Amino acid sequence: MGFNDADDAAVVRLDDGKLLLQTVDFFTPIVDDPYLFGQIAAANSLSDIYAMGGKPLFALNIAAFPINDLPKEMLTEILQGGADKAREAGIPIVGGHSIDDREPKYGLVVTGEVEEDQLVTNTKARPGDVLILTKPLGTGIIATAIKRGIASEESINAAVKTMVTLNDWAAKLMVKYGAHSATDITGFGLLGHLSEMCRASGVSAEVDFNKLQFITGAHKLAEEGIIPGGTKRNLDYVSEFTDFSENLTDTQRLMGADAQTSGGLLIALGQNKADDFISEYNSNSKLKAFSIGRVINQNDRLLYIRHI
Ligand code: CO
Ligand code: CO
């Protein structure tokens, strides 16, 4: 597909009209439990295939681990978490590579496929489309609170539940409903990834801050200043081309820019399909999808964040 539009996975055309999708992602632990970390890292890696409307086929492990400093069982548990998540996605992990390293790291290389007419990119959002998000926000804030040992049990559980959830159902439904455009919300946060979609599609977007849903406890932690460095950098970056309502507090702006791990899909869907998508999605998912705003004609700014 080329490198211009910051899409989620590499796309390679095969002979039979099918497209091959390829993506890789790995990172350092964001929760204390190695088995859950493995699940989160795998769900996150698979997400870029789903974001393009694709189906994963198989994966490879990438792992780094301090062999001499931490019990080897920990690595086994990380890999078990990844293997179980891959099984849930219906794919095998067929190999991989690990190295000795000071800090543990884990993720997957994922190969997937998609029919050409089902490929969903971040380049085709149209004015009038409804913007839908399939997971709540705030995992960056909660992960920072976990690192500092101040996250509540309730927040940790809610963040883990969000991060281990596969975007497979969201992908399947967005293809069924003919989504115009999609991407997954990860390190650049909602506003960063939405701005990429707008830039690539030649449109702007209006987000209603009141409609954004956050994981339990994220607002309170953000008000206490528990903000990841990546989230602050995201806000600095998007501020250049974002119009925030004056009544949005600094904390609220940061929350909209929060760097996510294994976040939901952001989907631009024709207005007449949005309600049906949301009700069908929510009828079969522990996490609820919700609309956050709409795509508008290209304007002075890429993003308009409203707060009524
Ligand atoms: Co992505
Ligand atoms: Co990625």
Side-chain angles (χ1 to χ4, degrees), residues 7-8 47-48 51 183-186 193:
D7 238 314
D8 293 298
S47 178
D48 280 324
T183 189
D184 59 336
I185 306 301
T186 52
H193 289 285

Side-chain angles (χ1 to χ4, degrees), residues 8 23-25 48:
D8 293 298
T23 183
V24 55
D25 219 326
D48 280 324

Side-chain angles (χ1 to χ4, degrees), residues 90-111:
I91 64 161
I93 295 178
V94 294
H97 188 72
S98 58
I99 59 164
D100 188 9
D101 193 6
R102 278 217 306 273
E103 199 174 9
K105 298 172 188 78
Y106 177 62
L108 300 177
V109 178
V110 188
T111 300

Side-chain angles (χ1 to χ4, degrees), residues 169-182:
W169 175 232
K172 198 173 168 184
L173 275 197
M174 78 169 176
V175 170
K176 173 180 168 183
Y177 282 91
H180 296 153
S181 206

